[in-house]
Amino acid sequence: MPIDALLFDKDGTLFDFAATWEAFARAFLLRVTGDDLARAAEVGQAIGFDMATNSYASDSIVIAGTPGEVAEVLADFFPDMSHEELVDMINDEAARAPQAEAVPLAAFLDDMRAKGLKLGVATNDAEHPARAHLTSAGVQGKFDFIAGFDSGHGAKPGPGQLLAFAAHVGMAPDRVAMVGDSTHDLLAGRAAGMTTIGVLTGMATVDDLSPHADVVLPNIGHIAEWLAR
């Protein structure tokens, strides 16, 4: 079937994961612990982030989890903070995180739109910081649909966000490609009945993504060539 719409994950797909979220983790951990470096390192281990090397473990909850899921892991460390307070702090710090575009996004998205494709974003981040990130890159207005884990459609690997996008743009799911850097993205795509495109600008490898992807590309900039083929 031809592809008439593209739905993108955000972190690790539109934006390079490491460049963005390593800075977030360090800033958040120091903020939530009151700049106690030793405690920040301890809490970081629980969410799969190493303060010494400034890097994530491959199974970090931050990579594909929602802010709510990260807050659940943090709850035992901060019994005086409510789940909502932790989520709010995560979202606030996430909105401040510097964004490194995986490719020059404005030009790429303009090219996709010129080809007649509908475009959307489905992220396990919250919708507010997602919109802040897209706005900071000057590309929010290029998308027909933007959803976060808190937008009312559920979170990936569930297919809710994906099916909501297909309905919003009036497309059958089999005319949509889900593009993402994690197995959560691709499993959601398969569950929704969409084509699945893996990209390597996140933490996952070709071996991680290939079992769940119709194709694995170095980054989203290769999509136009793949569609042409």
Side-chain angles (χ1 to χ4, degrees), residues 3 6 177-182 185-186 190 194-200 205-220 222-229:
I3 301 301
L6 297 171
M178 177 68 214
V179 186
D181 68 298
S182 77
D185 302 318
L186 305 182
R190 287 282 168 86
M194 296 178 176
T195 295
T196 52
I197 301 174
V199 290
L200 298 175
T205 66
V206 171
D207 288 344
D208 295 328
L209 300 179
S210 291
H212 313 290
D214 292 296
V215 64
V216 178
L217 303 173
N219 58 54
I220 58 174
H222 292 257
I223 290 176
E225 180 184 354
W226 181 77
L227 287 173
R229 292 203 304 268

Side-chain angles (χ1 to χ4, degrees), residues 53-122:
T53 61
N54 214 43
S55 62
Y56 286 96
S58 61
D59 61 350
S60 168
I61 186 67
V62 179
I63 294 173
T66 68
E69 290 169 336
V70 175
E72 288 174 9
V73 175
L74 295 172
D76 288 345
F77 292 94
F78 305 101
D80 295 335
M81 295 183 70
S82 70
H83 181 268
E84 184 178 63
E85 288 172 326
L86 283 168
V87 169
D88 285 347
M89 186 181 291
I90 291 167
N91 288 340
D92 181 64
E93 206 59 55
R96 303 167 187 253
Q99 301 300 301
E101 299 175 18
V103 301
L105 285 178
F108 166 74
L109 296 170
D110 284 344
D111 181 44
M112 295 297 100
R113 288 170 63 88
K115 297 180 189 307
L117 295 167
K118 298 292 186 181
L119 305 178
V121 175

